[in-house]
């Protein structure tokens, strides 16, 4: 699986224009689905810098590891949609598939927002409020999540990493088919606020987390 990730990384490098002196910081993620299909995906995220400027905050590609010798690529890139939004009230908005990669969103109010497929790679979400928000298939890898509020949030199929265990509140949240690290899943299940039913999906929080 990791060999396939490296192949994807080398393929992405071949897509970059030559002669700009790129500085590249790659991050590899493998996601194992708990769905019946047991699909496995590989995501490669790269911060790209040319001399004196940030050319692209991230370049990402995802493919299914289905045994094919050459993966099919789905590539997206470009400058993030949001940067400095700390403390702002952005509640109730539609930010589906928007890119918050690297954004400073400390204390930002994103409650009751549509964030399907949104990317928060390396974003600072310390104290951000996602109460009642739809984060279906959102990417939260490498984000700072200290004190983040996920009350009644929908995180179905979301891609996550470490830090979720430091969230302020997860009551009523739906984690159905979310990609969770086993150690993080154990810590979330031990929380006293891993309770309730999501008001939108009617999913039981503990059941969606796969808690025993």
């Amino acid at each position: 699986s990791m060999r396939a990730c490296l192949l994807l990384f080398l393929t992405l490098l071949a897509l970059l224009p030559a002669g700009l002196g790129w500085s590249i910081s790659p991050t590899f993620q493998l996601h194992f689905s708990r769905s019946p299909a047991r699909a496995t995906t590989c995501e490669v995220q790269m911060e790209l810098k040319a001399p004196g400027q940030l050319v692209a905050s991230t370049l990402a590609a995802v493919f299914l590891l289905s045994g094919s010798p050459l993966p099919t690529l789905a590539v997206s890139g470009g400058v993030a949609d949001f940067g400095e939004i700390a403390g702002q009230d952005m509640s109730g908005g539609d930010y589906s598939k928007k890119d918050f990669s690297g954004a400073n969103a400390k204390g930002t109010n994103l409650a009751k927002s549509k964030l399907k497929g949104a990317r928060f790679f390396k974003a600072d979400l310390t104290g951000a409020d996602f109460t009642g928000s739809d984060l279906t298939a959102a990417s939260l890898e490498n984000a700072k999540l200290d004190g983040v509020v996920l009350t009644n949030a929908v995180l179905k199929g979301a891609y996550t990493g470490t830090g979720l265990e430091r969230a302020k509140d997860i009551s009523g949240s739906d984690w159905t088919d979310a990609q969770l690290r086993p150690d993080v899943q154990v810590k979330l299940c031990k929380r006293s606020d891993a309770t309730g039913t999501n008001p939108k999906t009617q999913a039981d929080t503990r059941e969606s987390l796969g808690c025993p």
Side-chain angles (χ1 to χ4, degrees):
S1 296
M2 184 53 70
R3 183 179 298 177
C5 267
L6 290 173
L7 174 61
L8 177 59
F9 173 55
L10 294 175
T11 304
L12 289 175
L13 287 182
L15 298 176
L16 299 178
L20 290 182
W22 296 99
S23 173
I24 302 173
S25 301
T27 299
F28 301 95
Q29 297 284 346
L30 285 175
H31 306 295
F32 301 93
S33 174
R34 296 203 303 267
S35 65
R38 293 287 179 181
T40 303
T41 62
C42 171
E43 182 172 0
V44 178
Q45 298 168 319
M46 300 192 294
E47 288 188 348
L48 307 176
K49 293 183 180 180
Q53 62 178 328
L54 177 64
V55 174
S57 59
T58 60
L59 178 64
V62 179
F63 67 92
L64 290 176
L65 300 177
S66 58
S68 302
L70 290 176
T72 300
L73 301 182
V75 180
S76 63
V79 178
D81 296 300
F82 299 95
E84 183 62 49
I85 55 173
Q88 294 186 25
D89 185 357
M90 300 174 64
S91 59
D94 187 350
Y95 310 108
S96 299
K97 297 184 179 180
K98 293 297 184 180
D99 192 351
F100 293 81
S101 297
N104 178 10
K106 289 183 179 179
T108 300
N109 184 3
L110 285 159
K112 298 181 179 179
S113 295
K114 296 178 181 178
L115 292 156
K116 290 184 177 181
R119 297 180 59 81
F120 293 94
F121 179 65
K122 285 192 175 181
D124 190 344
L125 302 177
T126 303
D129 188 355
F130 291 97
T131 299
S133 291
D134 189 347
L135 288 153
T136 298
S139 173
L140 296 165
E141 292 113 329
N142 296 91
K144 294 181 180 179
L145 299 167
D146 298 63
V148 68
V149 180
L150 296 170
T151 310
N152 296 333
V154 177
L155 295 107
K156 296 176 64 175
Y159 297 97
T160 68
T162 59
L164 282 170
E165 67 275 13
R166 296 190 293 275
K168 182 177 181 179
D169 187 78
I170 64 169
S171 60
S173 51
D174 180 0
W175 303 84
T176 303
D177 291 328
Q179 311 301 312
L180 293 169
R181 287 170 48 120
D183 57 329
V184 172
Q185 186 251 1
V186 170
K187 292 176 181 178
L188 291 176
C189 287
K190 289 181 178 179
R191 292 178 58 124
S192 60
D193 60 350
T195 58
T197 301
N198 187 271
K200 181 178 180 180
T201 65
Q202 301 305 307
D204 180 271
T205 296
R206 290 190 63 80
E207 289 183 5
S208 69
L209 282 168
C211 300

